[in-house]
Amino acid sequence: MQKLDKTTTNFDAAADRKAKIFIISASIAIPIVVSILHYMPKIEAGSGSLRSFLNFLPTFNALTNATTAIVLVAAFIAIRKKQVVLHSRLMTSALIMSVLFLISYIGYHSTSNHTVFPMDNPLRTTYLIVLNSHIILSAIIVPLVLITYSRALAKRYDKHRKLARITLPIWLYVAITGVIVYLMISPYYSF
């Protein structure tokens, strides 16, 4: 029996190391890739159906952010009602939606120049505050989500709950402000 416990402990330690390496790598790589996309020359996507598809991606991004926000609220309600399995499925769905958003965001911004909010618009300061808080918290939320999720997978529910109280409101803010940024900037897209 003791040998099984030691094997389980060794497995847990190895899994923890792999999770930490993945979380650290993703938390560093994602903001770097997004920053590089801002400055790198864009790949010309041409015209026709591919361009139409790429022009739809900002709307898709807003929809994934909106869906993520709704799913996060539903997951919060589920866990408050002690519906653990539903909560788990909803949180996995929110994570998948965020990954889809990231793939779509990278696809769009590798082929399209960023849109500038007009200097003479009276909402410019508000837009920049929302945008900058969204960007900063987007970088912060990556490790928080991954650590919180990994603690749930490892069945460390006490640590999961403690971090989830911080992660959920930030993730929800990032999802909602993503929609707000889209609604504010979309009239100025050049397509």
Side-chain angles (χ1 to χ4, degrees):
M1 184 72 172
Q2 209 148 8
K3 196 171 194 178
L4 179 63
D5 291 340
K6 188 174 182 179
T7 305
T8 303
T9 303
N10 288 340
F11 175 76
D12 290 345
D16 280 350
R17 277 192 299 280
K18 287 179 183 176
K20 285 178 185 174
I21 290 169
F22 174 77
I23 291 168
I24 290 168
S25 300
S27 300
I28 292 169
I30 291 170
I32 289 172
V33 167
V34 170
S35 296
I36 290 170
L37 283 175
H38 182 73
Y39 295 104
M40 73 179 239
K42 305 305 177 201
I43 302 164
E44 187 57 45
S47 60
S49 60
L50 178 59
R51 175 49 59 196
S52 296
F53 171 74
L54 293 172
N55 290 345
F56 175 72
L57 290 180
T59 304
F60 177 77
N61 292 342
L63 291 172
T64 58
N65 272 322
T67 303
T68 299
I70 292 166
V71 170
L72 288 172
V73 170
F76 177 74
I77 292 168
I79 200 62
R80 299 296 288 175
K81 292 182 175 182
K82 310 237 185 283
Q83 297 172 328
V84 177
V85 173
L86 177 60
H87 170 77
S88 175
R89 289 178 180 159
L90 289 168
M91 292 309 297
T92 299
S93 298
L95 184 60
I96 290 167
M97 291 303 298
S98 293
V99 169
L100 287 174
F101 165 83
L102 183 60
I103 292 166
S104 173
Y105 182 90
I106 289 170
Y108 177 75
H109 286 282
S110 63
T111 60
S112 305
N113 290 317
H114 68 281
T115 303
V116 178
F117 199 84
M119 296 292 279
D120 61 345
N121 189 310
L123 293 175
R124 183 172 169 81
T125 301
T126 302
Y127 171 78
L128 291 175
I129 290 169
V130 173
L131 176 64
N132 287 325
S133 66
H134 173 78
I135 290 169
I136 291 166
L137 291 174
S138 292
I140 293 170
I141 198 61
V142 171
L144 288 175
V145 167
L146 294 175
I147 293 167
T148 305
Y149 193 78
S150 69
R151 286 179 177 176
L153 289 177
K155 297 183 179 8
R156 295 183 180 153
Y157 299 120
D158 55 332
K159 291 182 177 188
H160 169 77
R161 269 189 300 274
K162 189 180 283 189
L163 189 56
R165 290 184 176 125
I166 298 165
T167 304
L168 176 65
I170 296 172
W171 195 359
L172 194 54
Y173 178 86
V174 168
I176 291 169
T177 56
V179 176
I180 293 169
V181 166
Y182 167 77
L183 292 173
M184 292 181 80
I185 196 70
S186 63
Y188 306 106
Y189 284 129
S190 61
F191 46 83

